[in-house]
Amino acid sequence: MNIAFFLLPKSEVITTTLQATLRQTLERMEYHRYTAVPILSDNGHYVGTVTEGDLLWFLKNSNGIDFDHSHRHTLSEVPLRVQNKPVHIHAEMVDLIDLAKVQNFVPVVDDSDKFIGIVRRSEIIDYCAKQMFRAPSTAGEM
């Protein structure tokens, strides 16, 4: 199955950049109620994914940085603990399933490695569930 069928396009995905401040990132995540968002470069390439945990650990472990001063620091200063891997638009569904086991969403890139959207884990689970219940059972049949 073509994964483009499951793609939430870039225009509908909340993203950030490495130049965004910690405060901007936290507020964006809070507003949209997301625990992780893709980070894009200035030219549209997928850089990585920032999580709430990344931001909280950074604030906790950095001397002199608190929420009141978070507007003075950019996302480029934050170490990303989880490396969400992207797939190319021509990837197979099995590639998505493997990544969805450990990622809330799978970033999708085109042939030029430009970010074009995400596939949500919930969409992958729905697809797998439909495949399981659609397949005829051969166990116990005569």
PDB file of all heavy atoms in Angstrom, residues 5-40:
ATOM      1  N   PHE A   5      -1.276   7.579   1.056  1.00  0.00           N
ATOM      2  CA  PHE A   5      -2.676   7.501   1.444  1.00  0.00           C
ATOM      3  C   PHE A   5      -2.860   7.927   2.905  1.00  0.00           C
ATOM      4  O   PHE A   5      -3.884   8.476   3.282  1.00  0.00           O
ATOM      5  CB  PHE A   5      -3.179   6.067   1.242  1.00  0.00           C
ATOM      6  CG  PHE A   5      -4.593   5.854   1.668  1.00  0.00           C
ATOM      7  CD1 PHE A   5      -5.656   6.336   0.917  1.00  0.00           C
ATOM      8  CD2 PHE A   5      -4.878   5.189   2.852  1.00  0.00           C
ATOM      9  CE1 PHE A   5      -6.955   6.144   1.319  1.00  0.00           C
ATOM     10  CE2 PHE A   5      -6.186   4.993   3.269  1.00  0.00           C
ATOM     11  CZ  PHE A   5      -7.230   5.469   2.495  1.00  0.00           C
ATOM     12  N   PHE A   6      -1.871   7.685   3.740  1.00  0.00           N
ATOM     13  CA  PHE A   6      -1.944   7.970   5.177  1.00  0.00           C
ATOM     14  C   PHE A   6      -1.303   9.299   5.562  1.00  0.00           C
ATOM     15  O   PHE A   6      -1.334   9.696   6.714  1.00  0.00           O
ATOM     16  CB  PHE A   6      -1.245   6.862   5.967  1.00  0.00           C
ATOM     17  CG  PHE A   6      -1.808   5.506   5.698  1.00  0.00           C
ATOM     18  CD1 PHE A   6      -1.169   4.637   4.834  1.00  0.00           C
ATOM     19  CD2 PHE A   6      -2.983   5.100   6.305  1.00  0.00           C
ATOM     20  CE1 PHE A   6      -1.694   3.380   4.585  1.00  0.00           C
ATOM     21  CE2 PHE A   6      -3.511   3.842   6.064  1.00  0.00           C
ATOM     22  CZ  PHE A   6      -2.866   2.978   5.197  1.00  0.00           C
ATOM     23  N   LEU A   7      -0.708   9.981   4.606  1.00  0.00           N
ATOM     24  CA  LEU A   7       0.087  11.179   4.868  1.00  0.00           C
ATOM     25  C   LEU A   7      -0.766  12.358   5.329  1.00  0.00           C
ATOM     26  O   LEU A   7      -1.744  12.722   4.681  1.00  0.00           O
ATOM     27  CB  LEU A   7       0.859  11.576   3.613  1.00  0.00           C
ATOM     28  CG  LEU A   7       1.832  12.732   3.757  1.00  0.00           C
ATOM     29  CD1 LEU A   7       3.061  12.272   4.546  1.00  0.00           C
ATOM     30  CD2 LEU A   7       2.268  13.242   2.393  1.00  0.00           C
ATOM     31  N   LEU A   8      -0.374  12.932   6.463  1.00  0.00           N
ATOM     32  CA  LEU A   8      -0.910  14.226   6.882  1.00  0.00           C
ATOM     33  C   LEU A   8       0.063  15.244   6.288  1.00  0.00           C
ATOM     34  O   LEU A   8       1.244  15.279   6.665  1.00  0.00           O
ATOM     35  CB  LEU A   8      -0.952  14.339   8.406  1.00  0.00           C
ATOM     36  CG  LEU A   8      -1.534  15.623   8.975  1.00  0.00           C
ATOM     37  CD1 LEU A   8      -3.017  15.747   8.616  1.00  0.00           C
ATOM     38  CD2 LEU A   8      -1.340  15.673  10.477  1.00  0.00           C
ATOM     39  N   PRO A   9      -0.381  16.052   5.318  1.00  0.00           N
ATOM     40  CA  PRO A   9       0.568  16.923   4.597  1.00  0.00           C
ATOM     41  C   PRO A   9       1.189  17.997   5.484  1.00  0.00           C
ATOM     42  O   PRO A   9       0.619  18.415   6.482  1.00  0.00           O
ATOM     43  CB  PRO A   9      -0.284  17.542   3.495  1.00  0.00           C
ATOM     44  CG  PRO A   9      -1.687  17.374   3.920  1.00  0.00           C
ATOM     45  CD  PRO A   9      -1.748  16.208   4.860  1.00  0.00           C
ATOM     46  N   LYS A  10       2.352  18.424   5.070  1.00  0.00           N
ATOM     47  CA  LYS A  10       3.130  19.436   5.789  1.00  0.00           C
ATOM     48  C   LYS A  10       2.285  20.649   6.167  1.00  0.00           C
ATOM     49  O   LYS A  10       2.434  21.187   7.272  1.00  0.00           O
ATOM     50  CB  LYS A  10       4.308  19.868   4.905  1.00  0.00           C
ATOM     51  CG  LYS A  10       5.163  20.954   5.480  1.00  0.00           C
ATOM     52  CD  LYS A  10       6.265  21.320   4.503  1.00  0.00           C
ATOM     53  CE  LYS A  10       7.070  22.490   5.003  1.00  0.00           C
ATOM     54  NZ  LYS A  10       8.156  22.827   4.058  1.00  0.00           N
ATOM     55  N   SER A  11       1.391  21.054   5.297  1.00  0.00           N
ATOM     56  CA  SER A  11       0.572  22.241   5.561  1.00  0.00           C
ATOM     57  C   SER A  11      -0.343  22.060   6.774  1.00  0.00           C
ATOM     58  O   SER A  11      -0.825  23.037   7.347  1.00  0.00           O
ATOM     59  CB  SER A  11      -0.263  22.598   4.330  1.00  0.00           C
ATOM     60  OG  SER A  11      -1.136  21.528   4.006  1.00  0.00           O
ATOM     61  N   GLU A  12      -0.578  20.812   7.187  1.00  0.00           N
ATOM     62  CA  GLU A  12      -1.446  20.539   8.328  1.00  0.00           C
ATOM     63  C   GLU A  12      -0.675  20.072   9.558  1.00  0.00           C
ATOM     64  O   GLU A  12      -1.278  19.731  10.572  1.00  0.00           O
ATOM     65  CB  GLU A  12      -2.484  19.482   7.939  1.00  0.00           C
ATOM     66  CG  GLU A  12      -3.417  19.938   6.836  1.00  0.00           C
ATOM     67  CD  GLU A  12      -4.393  18.861   6.415  1.00  0.00           C
ATOM     68  OE1 GLU A  12      -4.773  18.024   7.260  1.00  0.00           O
ATOM     69  OE2 GLU A  12      -4.761  18.855   5.227  1.00  0.00           O
ATOM     70  N   VAL A  13       0.655  20.056   9.451  1.00  0.00           N
ATOM     71  CA  VAL A  13       1.497  19.577  10.548  1.00  0.00           C
ATOM     72  C   VAL A  13       2.093  20.767  11.290  1.00  0.00           C
ATOM     73  O   VAL A  13       2.605  21.702  10.666  1.00  0.00           O
ATOM     74  CB  VAL A  13       2.639  18.667  10.021  1.00  0.00           C
ATOM     75  CG1 VAL A  13       3.561  18.236  11.147  1.00  0.00           C
ATOM     76  CG2 VAL A  13       2.059  17.461   9.298  1.00  0.00           C
ATOM     77  N   ILE A  14       2.031  20.726  12.600  1.00  0.00           N
ATOM     78  CA  ILE A  14       2.669  21.758  13.415  1.00  0.00           C
ATOM     79  C   ILE A  14       4.149  21.417  13.488  1.00  0.00           C
ATOM     80  O   ILE A  14       4.520  20.316  13.911  1.00  0.00           O
ATOM     81  CB  ILE A  14       2.056  21.787  14.833  1.00  0.00           C
ATOM     82  CG1 ILE A  14       0.544  22.008  14.758  1.00  0.00           C
ATOM     83  CG2 ILE A  14       2.736  22.834  15.701  1.00  0.00           C
ATOM     84  CD1 ILE A  14       0.116  23.207  13.952  1.00  0.00           C
ATOM     85  N   THR A  15       4.986  22.347  13.052  1.00  0.00           N
ATOM     86  CA  THR A  15       6.434  22.136  13.058  1.00  0.00           C
ATOM     87  C   THR A  15       7.116  23.307  13.748  1.00  0.00           C
ATOM     88  O   THR A  15       6.481  24.306  14.088  1.00  0.00           O
ATOM     89  CB  THR A  15       6.990  22.004  11.625  1.00  0.00           C
ATOM     90  OG1 THR A  15       6.760  23.233  10.921  1.00  0.00           O
ATOM     91  CG2 THR A  15       6.338  20.853  10.868  1.00  0.00           C
ATOM     92  N   THR A  16       8.420  23.176  13.918  1.00  0.00           N
ATOM     93  CA  THR A  16       9.220  24.260  14.469  1.00  0.00           C
ATOM     94  C   THR A  16      10.560  24.268  13.757  1.00  0.00           C
ATOM     95  O   THR A  16      10.811  23.429  12.894  1.00  0.00           O
ATOM     96  CB  THR A  16       9.369  24.109  16.005  1.00  0.00           C
ATOM     97  OG1 THR A  16       9.936  25.313  16.530  1.00  0.00           O
ATOM     98  CG2 THR A  16      10.202  22.912  16.378  1.00  0.00           C
ATOM     99  N   THR A  17      11.400  25.229  14.109  1.00  0.00           N
ATOM    100  CA  THR A  17      12.743  25.314  13.536  1.00  0.00           C
ATOM    101  C   THR A  17      13.754  25.392  14.671  1.00  0.00           C
ATOM    102  O   THR A  17      13.395  25.654  15.823  1.00  0.00           O
ATOM    103  CB  THR A  17      12.905  26.570  12.649  1.00  0.00           C
ATOM    104  OG1 THR A  17      12.817  27.729  13.491  1.00  0.00           O
ATOM    105  CG2 THR A  17      11.856  26.624  11.558  1.00  0.00           C
ATOM    106  N   LEU A  18      15.006  25.215  14.330  1.00  0.00           N
ATOM    107  CA  LEU A  18      16.066  25.307  15.333  1.00  0.00           C
ATOM    108  C   LEU A  18      16.230  26.736  15.858  1.00  0.00           C
ATOM    109  O   LEU A  18      16.770  26.941  16.932  1.00  0.00           O
ATOM    110  CB  LEU A  18      17.391  24.804  14.758  1.00  0.00           C
ATOM    111  CG  LEU A  18      17.462  23.301  14.503  1.00  0.00           C
ATOM    112  CD1 LEU A  18      18.741  22.946  13.756  1.00  0.00           C
ATOM    113  CD2 LEU A  18      17.359  22.525  15.808  1.00  0.00           C
ATOM    114  N   GLN A  19      15.730  27.733  15.120  1.00  0.00           N
ATOM    115  CA  GLN A  19      15.829  29.123  15.540  1.00  0.00           C
ATOM    116  C   GLN A  19      14.691  29.532  16.478  1.00  0.00           C
ATOM    117  O   GLN A  19      14.735  30.609  17.073  1.00  0.00           O
ATOM    118  CB  GLN A  19      15.855  30.064  14.329  1.00  0.00           C
ATOM    119  CG  GLN A  19      17.098  29.946  13.481  1.00  0.00           C
ATOM    120  CD  GLN A  19      17.102  28.675  12.633  1.00  0.00           C
ATOM    121  OE1 GLN A  19      16.076  28.234  12.153  1.00  0.00           O
ATOM    122  NE2 GLN A  19      18.274  28.071  12.481  1.00  0.00           N
ATOM    123  N   ALA A  20      13.685  28.691  16.627  1.00  0.00           N
ATOM    124  CA  ALA A  20      12.577  29.003  17.536  1.00  0.00           C
ATOM    125  C   ALA A  20      13.101  29.025  18.968  1.00  0.00           C
ATOM    126  O   ALA A  20      14.010  28.275  19.327  1.00  0.00           O
ATOM    127  CB  ALA A  20      11.479  27.954  17.400  1.00  0.00           C
ATOM    128  N   THR A  21      12.534  29.891  19.772  1.00  0.00           N
ATOM    129  CA  THR A  21      12.953  29.927  21.178  1.00  0.00           C
ATOM    130  C   THR A  21      12.300  28.773  21.935  1.00  0.00           C
ATOM    131  O   THR A  21      11.305  28.194  21.483  1.00  0.00           O
ATOM    132  CB  THR A  21      12.564  31.256  21.851  1.00  0.00           C
ATOM    133  OG1 THR A  21      11.141  31.333  21.947  1.00  0.00           O
ATOM    134  CG2 THR A  21      13.134  32.447  21.085  1.00  0.00           C
ATOM    135  N   LEU A  22      12.864  28.478  23.097  1.00  0.00           N
ATOM    136  CA  LEU A  22      12.271  27.439  23.936  1.00  0.00           C
ATOM    137  C   LEU A  22      10.834  27.814  24.288  1.00  0.00           C
ATOM    138  O   LEU A  22       9.939  26.971  24.264  1.00  0.00           O
ATOM    139  CB  LEU A  22      13.079  27.252  25.215  1.00  0.00           C
ATOM    140  CG  LEU A  22      14.537  26.814  25.065  1.00  0.00           C
ATOM    141  CD1 LEU A  22      15.155  26.631  26.434  1.00  0.00           C
ATOM    142  CD2 LEU A  22      14.638  25.554  24.253  1.00  0.00           C
ATOM    143  N   ARG A  23      10.627  29.073  24.614  1.00  0.00           N
ATOM    144  CA  ARG A  23       9.282  29.530  24.989  1.00  0.00           C
ATOM    145  C   ARG A  23       8.298  29.355  23.832  1.00  0.00           C
ATOM    146  O   ARG A  23       7.183  28.862  24.013  1.00  0.00           O
ATOM    147  CB  ARG A  23       9.316  30.976  25.454  1.00  0.00           C
ATOM    148  CG  ARG A  23       7.968  31.441  25.951  1.00  0.00           C
ATOM    149  CD  ARG A  23       8.001  32.903  26.424  1.00  0.00           C
ATOM    150  NE  ARG A  23       6.943  33.089  27.377  1.00  0.00           N
ATOM    151  CZ  ARG A  23       7.112  33.377  28.642  1.00  0.00           C
ATOM    152  NH1 ARG A  23       8.315  33.543  29.122  1.00  0.00           N
ATOM    153  NH2 ARG A  23       6.082  33.527  29.434  1.00  0.00           N
ATOM    154  N   GLN A  24       8.695  29.749  22.630  1.00  0.00           N
ATOM    155  CA  GLN A  24       7.829  29.583  21.462  1.00  0.00           C
ATOM    156  C   GLN A  24       7.473  28.109  21.253  1.00  0.00           C
ATOM    157  O   GLN A  24       6.317  27.769  20.972  1.00  0.00           O
ATOM    158  CB  GLN A  24       8.510  30.120  20.200  1.00  0.00           C
ATOM    159  CG  GLN A  24       8.633  31.610  20.139  1.00  0.00           C
ATOM    160  CD  GLN A  24       9.546  32.059  19.009  1.00  0.00           C
ATOM    161  OE1 GLN A  24      10.492  31.375  18.626  1.00  0.00           O
ATOM    162  NE2 GLN A  24       9.256  33.243  18.475  1.00  0.00           N
ATOM    163  N   THR A  25       8.464  27.265  21.397  1.00  0.00           N
ATOM    164  CA  THR A  25       8.250  25.836  21.185  1.00  0.00           C
ATOM    165  C   THR A  25       7.311  25.263  22.234  1.00  0.00           C
ATOM    166  O   THR A  25       6.358  24.538  21.907  1.00  0.00           O
ATOM    167  CB  THR A  25       9.596  25.088  21.193  1.00  0.00           C
ATOM    168  OG1 THR A  25      10.461  25.676  20.206  1.00  0.00           O
ATOM    169  CG2 THR A  25       9.408  23.613  20.884  1.00  0.00           C
ATOM    170  N   LEU A  26       7.566  25.598  23.498  1.00  0.00           N
ATOM    171  CA  LEU A  26       6.698  25.113  24.582  1.00  0.00           C
ATOM    172  C   LEU A  26       5.257  25.602  24.400  1.00  0.00           C
ATOM    173  O   LEU A  26       4.300  24.837  24.565  1.00  0.00           O
ATOM    174  CB  LEU A  26       7.234  25.582  25.930  1.00  0.00           C
ATOM    175  CG  LEU A  26       8.452  24.842  26.455  1.00  0.00           C
ATOM    176  CD1 LEU A  26       9.119  25.635  27.574  1.00  0.00           C
ATOM    177  CD2 LEU A  26       8.058  23.453  26.939  1.00  0.00           C
ATOM    178  N   GLU A  27       5.102  26.870  24.065  1.00  0.00           N
ATOM    179  CA  GLU A  27       3.765  27.421  23.905  1.00  0.00           C
ATOM    180  C   GLU A  27       3.041  26.811  22.710  1.00  0.00           C
ATOM    181  O   GLU A  27       1.840  26.544  22.772  1.00  0.00           O
ATOM    182  CB  GLU A  27       3.827  28.946  23.806  1.00  0.00           C
ATOM    183  CG  GLU A  27       4.179  29.578  25.149  1.00  0.00           C
ATOM    184  CD  GLU A  27       4.363  31.072  25.109  1.00  0.00           C
ATOM    185  OE1 GLU A  27       4.478  31.655  23.987  1.00  0.00           O
ATOM    186  OE2 GLU A  27       4.402  31.690  26.188  1.00  0.00           O
ATOM    187  N   ARG A  28       3.763  26.563  21.651  1.00  0.00           N
ATOM    188  CA  ARG A  28       3.164  25.936  20.461  1.00  0.00           C
ATOM    189  C   ARG A  28       2.706  24.516  20.783  1.00  0.00           C
ATOM    190  O   ARG A  28       1.605  24.103  20.427  1.00  0.00           O
ATOM    191  CB  ARG A  28       4.166  25.928  19.316  1.00  0.00           C
ATOM    192  CG  ARG A  28       3.645  25.241  18.070  1.00  0.00           C
ATOM    193  CD  ARG A  28       4.582  25.462  16.948  1.00  0.00           C
ATOM    194  NE  ARG A  28       4.174  26.739  16.384  1.00  0.00           N
ATOM    195  CZ  ARG A  28       4.434  27.119  15.154  1.00  0.00           C
ATOM    196  NH1 ARG A  28       5.144  26.369  14.370  1.00  0.00           N
ATOM    197  NH2 ARG A  28       4.002  28.262  14.701  1.00  0.00           N
ATOM    198  N   MET A  29       3.554  23.777  21.490  1.00  0.00           N
ATOM    199  CA  MET A  29       3.211  22.409  21.860  1.00  0.00           C
ATOM    200  C   MET A  29       2.009  22.393  22.813  1.00  0.00           C
ATOM    201  O   MET A  29       1.111  21.565  22.681  1.00  0.00           O
ATOM    202  CB  MET A  29       4.418  21.694  22.462  1.00  0.00           C
ATOM    203  CG  MET A  29       5.506  21.434  21.434  1.00  0.00           C
ATOM    204  SD  MET A  29       7.050  20.849  22.145  1.00  0.00           S
ATOM    205  CE  MET A  29       6.617  19.142  22.479  1.00  0.00           C
ATOM    206  N   GLU A  30       2.002  23.323  23.764  1.00  0.00           N
ATOM    207  CA  GLU A  30       0.886  23.397  24.708  1.00  0.00           C
ATOM    208  C   GLU A  30      -0.414  23.754  23.988  1.00  0.00           C
ATOM    209  O   GLU A  30      -1.455  23.120  24.210  1.00  0.00           O
ATOM    210  CB  GLU A  30       1.171  24.436  25.798  1.00  0.00           C
ATOM    211  CG  GLU A  30       0.034  24.589  26.783  1.00  0.00           C
ATOM    212  CD  GLU A  30       0.256  25.714  27.787  1.00  0.00           C
ATOM    213  OE1 GLU A  30       0.937  26.709  27.452  1.00  0.00           O
ATOM    214  OE2 GLU A  30      -0.271  25.584  28.902  1.00  0.00           O
ATOM    215  N   TYR A  31      -0.369  24.742  23.134  1.00  0.00           N
ATOM    216  CA  TYR A  31      -1.556  25.203  22.427  1.00  0.00           C
ATOM    217  C   TYR A  31      -2.188  24.076  21.603  1.00  0.00           C
ATOM    218  O   TYR A  31      -3.400  23.896  21.589  1.00  0.00           O
ATOM    219  CB  TYR A  31      -1.213  26.400  21.523  1.00  0.00           C
ATOM    220  CG  TYR A  31      -2.399  26.905  20.749  1.00  0.00           C
ATOM    221  CD1 TYR A  31      -3.333  27.744  21.350  1.00  0.00           C
ATOM    222  CD2 TYR A  31      -2.590  26.529  19.425  1.00  0.00           C
ATOM    223  CE1 TYR A  31      -4.433  28.203  20.644  1.00  0.00           C
ATOM    224  CE2 TYR A  31      -3.695  26.978  18.713  1.00  0.00           C
ATOM    225  CZ  TYR A  31      -4.605  27.813  19.323  1.00  0.00           C
ATOM    226  OH  TYR A  31      -5.703  28.254  18.628  1.00  0.00           O
ATOM    227  N   HIS A  32      -1.340  23.314  20.913  1.00  0.00           N
ATOM    228  CA  HIS A  32      -1.843  22.239  20.043  1.00  0.00           C
ATOM    229  C   HIS A  32      -1.972  20.901  20.769  1.00  0.00           C
ATOM    230  O   HIS A  32      -2.409  19.924  20.174  1.00  0.00           O
ATOM    231  CB  HIS A  32      -0.937  22.097  18.821  1.00  0.00           C
ATOM    232  CG  HIS A  32      -1.004  23.292  17.924  1.00  0.00           C
ATOM    233  ND1 HIS A  32      -2.070  23.532  17.080  1.00  0.00           N
ATOM    234  CD2 HIS A  32      -0.157  24.326  17.757  1.00  0.00           C
ATOM    235  CE1 HIS A  32      -1.863  24.654  16.426  1.00  0.00           C
ATOM    236  NE2 HIS A  32      -0.713  25.166  16.815  1.00  0.00           N
ATOM    237  N   ARG A  33      -1.542  20.886  22.038  1.00  0.00           N
ATOM    238  CA  ARG A  33      -1.620  19.685  22.875  1.00  0.00           C
ATOM    239  C   ARG A  33      -0.811  18.527  22.298  1.00  0.00           C
ATOM    240  O   ARG A  33      -1.249  17.380  22.293  1.00  0.00           O
ATOM    241  CB  ARG A  33      -3.074  19.294  23.113  1.00  0.00           C
ATOM    242  CG  ARG A  33      -3.876  20.403  23.781  1.00  0.00           C
ATOM    243  CD  ARG A  33      -5.287  20.015  24.050  1.00  0.00           C
ATOM    244  NE  ARG A  33      -5.364  18.844  24.900  1.00  0.00           N
ATOM    245  CZ  ARG A  33      -5.640  18.854  26.190  1.00  0.00           C
ATOM    246  NH1 ARG A  33      -5.884  19.998  26.779  1.00  0.00           N
ATOM    247  NH2 ARG A  33      -5.699  17.751  26.881  1.00  0.00           N
ATOM    248  N   TYR A  34       0.394  18.844  21.814  1.00  0.00           N
ATOM    249  CA  TYR A  34       1.306  17.832  21.278  1.00  0.00           C
ATOM    250  C   TYR A  34       2.441  17.594  22.255  1.00  0.00           C
ATOM    251  O   TYR A  34       2.897  18.518  22.936  1.00  0.00           O
ATOM    252  CB  TYR A  34       1.889  18.267  19.930  1.00  0.00           C
ATOM    253  CG  TYR A  34       0.886  18.262  18.805  1.00  0.00           C
ATOM    254  CD1 TYR A  34       0.895  19.256  17.860  1.00  0.00           C
ATOM    255  CD2 TYR A  34      -0.067  17.252  18.694  1.00  0.00           C
ATOM    256  CE1 TYR A  34      -0.014  19.253  16.816  1.00  0.00           C
ATOM    257  CE2 TYR A  34      -0.978  17.247  17.664  1.00  0.00           C
ATOM    258  CZ  TYR A  34      -0.950  18.241  16.723  1.00  0.00           C
ATOM    259  OH  TYR A  34      -1.849  18.243  15.699  1.00  0.00           O
ATOM    260  N   THR A  35       2.919  16.374  22.289  1.00  0.00           N
ATOM    261  CA  THR A  35       4.062  16.041  23.133  1.00  0.00           C
ATOM    262  C   THR A  35       5.356  16.025  22.337  1.00  0.00           C
ATOM    263  O   THR A  35       6.429  15.946  22.924  1.00  0.00           O
ATOM    264  CB  THR A  35       3.862  14.676  23.810  1.00  0.00           C
ATOM    265  OG1 THR A  35       3.708  13.677  22.800  1.00  0.00           O
ATOM    266  CG2 THR A  35       2.637  14.690  24.712  1.00  0.00           C
ATOM    267  N   ALA A  36       5.254  16.126  21.018  1.00  0.00           N
ATOM    268  CA  ALA A  36       6.435  16.138  20.154  1.00  0.00           C
ATOM    269  C   ALA A  36       6.069  16.813  18.835  1.00  0.00           C
ATOM    270  O   ALA A  36       4.929  16.694  18.372  1.00  0.00           O
ATOM    271  CB  ALA A  36       6.911  14.712  19.900  1.00  0.00           C
ATOM    272  N   VAL A  37       7.040  17.533  18.256  1.00  0.00           N
ATOM    273  CA  VAL A  37       6.830  18.161  16.951  1.00  0.00           C
ATOM    274  C   VAL A  37       8.095  18.034  16.113  1.00  0.00           C
ATOM    275  O   VAL A  37       9.214  18.049  16.643  1.00  0.00           O
ATOM    276  CB  VAL A  37       6.416  19.651  17.057  1.00  0.00           C
ATOM    277  CG1 VAL A  37       5.046  19.811  17.681  1.00  0.00           C
ATOM    278  CG2 VAL A  37       7.433  20.467  17.809  1.00  0.00           C
ATOM    279  N   PRO A  38       7.920  17.924  14.789  1.00  0.00           N
ATOM    280  CA  PRO A  38       9.080  17.868  13.899  1.00  0.00           C
ATOM    281  C   PRO A  38       9.804  19.218  13.849  1.00  0.00           C
ATOM    282  O   PRO A  38       9.182  20.271  13.928  1.00  0.00           O
ATOM    283  CB  PRO A  38       8.484  17.541  12.535  1.00  0.00           C
ATOM    284  CG  PRO A  38       7.071  17.130  12.782  1.00  0.00           C
ATOM    285  CD  PRO A  38       6.662  17.750  14.071  1.00  0.00           C
ATOM    286  N   ILE A  39      11.114  19.133  13.699  1.00  0.00           N
ATOM    287  CA  ILE A  39      11.952  20.323  13.514  1.00  0.00           C
ATOM    288  C   ILE A  39      12.392  20.340  12.059  1.00  0.00           C
ATOM    289  O   ILE A  39      12.903  19.330  11.555  1.00  0.00           O
ATOM    290  CB  ILE A  39      13.204  20.278  14.410  1.00  0.00           C
ATOM    291  CG1 ILE A  39      12.819  20.108  15.876  1.00  0.00           C
ATOM    292  CG2 ILE A  39      14.054  21.525  14.199  1.00  0.00           C
ATOM    293  CD1 ILE A  39      14.006  19.774  16.780  1.00  0.00           C
ATOM    294  N   LEU A  40      12.223  21.484  11.401  1.00  0.00           N
ATOM    295  CA  LEU A  40      12.621  21.626  10.001  1.00  0.00           C
ATOM    296  C   LEU A  40      13.728  22.659   9.863  1.00  0.00           C
ATOM    297  O   LEU A  40      13.777  23.629  10.615  1.00  0.00           O
ATOM    298  CB  LEU A  40      11.426  22.056   9.142  1.00  0.00           C
ATOM    299  CG  LEU A  40      10.180  21.177   9.196  1.00  0.00           C
ATOM    300  CD1 LEU A  40       9.136  21.703   8.215  1.00  0.00           C
ATOM    301  CD2 LEU A  40      10.512  19.733   8.915  1.00  0.00           C
TER     302      LEU A  40
END
